[in-house]
Each structure stands twice: as C-alpha cells, then as structure tokens.
Amino acid sequence: MSDDEREYLWKHFAFNAEQRLKAFHFFVVFSGFANGGILVAFDKNSQPMVFVAFGGFICLTSIIFLAIDLRSRELLEMTKKGLIRSEESLMFDEARIFTRDRKPRKLVISYTYAFRALFLIQLVVGAAAIWYGWPAG
C-alpha cells in the first residue's frame, strides 16, 4: 500500500471519528436542554401537552442521532479494514493499533455501547414524558 493510500485512509478515519464525536456532543446538548425543559415543566406544573412536546422532541432526537451514529460507525468500519491492511507492512506489533484492537478483551465498554445506551435511555425518558402528558381517556 502506498503512503498516499495510507494517508487517504487515515484522513477519512480521523474525519469520521471527529464527526461522530461532534454529533454525539450535539445530542448531549439537545438532550440536556430538553431534559431541563421537562424539569421546568414539572416545577411550573405545566399543561400536559408540554410534556408530550418535550417527550416527542427527545424521542425524535434520539432516533435521528442513533441513525447518524449508525452511519458514522459504518464509515469508520469501512476505513478500518483498509488501515488494518496497511498495518501489515509495519515491523512492530505494538504499532499495529487497529489490528490489536480487533482482539477480544475483558470487559471493556466501547464508545458504541455507551452512545447507544444513552440514546436508549433518552428514548425511554422521552416516551415517559409523552405517557405522563398524554390525556387520559
């Protein structure tokens, strides 16, 4: 593999990894505001439809950002295959970061599991807010 190909793969990987973290950062900010809105609505004894609106926003945001994360993860995995192949020419095993990362490890929580857990938790929070505000009848 040429140095240009390796550089192309690395830049693609770095770009997508950075975009994934930025997207997650925006999700955390949106979720924080929406969760804060729910707490204020509780404090102010707001109309039930306020809870439905906040809950719907949280659910929609969770689903959209999950879809973005799935695509980002897919793009990263595509690039990792090329980077693993490029590592074959490296002399030391310690320098083969992506190759070593594929080996099974003891309990390690990855970004993917952590992100998806938070997406799911927020989805449940949003659904609970919708349920709380939905008119009985």
Side-chain angles (χ1 to χ4, degrees):
M1 178 175 292
S2 72
D3 287 342
D4 288 340
E5 289 172 315
R6 185 178 290 123
E7 183 179 349
Y8 169 75
L9 287 169
W10 178 251
K11 283 183 179 180
H12 189 272
F13 180 84
F15 174 77
N16 284 297
E18 181 181 355
Q19 291 301 310
R20 185 178 187 215
L21 289 175
K22 284 181 180 179
F24 184 72
H25 173 78
F26 281 115
F27 173 74
V28 170
V29 170
F30 286 141
S31 296
F33 282 125
N35 291 343
I38 289 174
L39 293 175
V40 169
F42 271 122
D43 187 49
K44 302 288 183 184
N45 204 14
S46 296
Q47 295 293 320
M49 290 314 276
V50 171
F51 294 97
V52 173
F54 276 119
F57 176 76
I58 290 171
C59 288
L60 184 63
T61 303
S62 297
I63 292 167
I64 289 170
F65 278 93
L66 174 62
I68 291 169
D69 188 63
L70 288 170
R71 178 62 179 150
S72 295
R73 178 79 176 155
E74 182 181 25
L75 290 169
L76 287 170
E77 287 301 316
M78 288 171 30
T79 310
K80 279 173 77 173
K81 290 176 185 176
L83 288 168
I84 288 168
R85 184 164 176 241
S86 76
E87 288 180 341
E88 292 172 358
S89 64
L90 298 175
M91 186 183 300
F92 299 105
D93 187 49
E94 292 81 10
R96 296 182 182 131
I97 298 167
F98 292 97
T99 302
R100 288 191 353 239
D101 190 51
R102 293 174 61 185
K103 294 179 183 172
R105 297 175 298 270
K106 293 182 181 174
L107 180 65
V108 174
I109 298 176
S110 68
Y111 283 111
T112 299
Y113 291 122
F115 288 2
R116 291 184 186 162
L118 189 56
F119 295 143
L120 179 62
I121 290 167
Q122 283 300 108
L123 191 62
V124 169
V125 167
I130 291 171
W131 176 79
Y132 181 80
W134 200 260

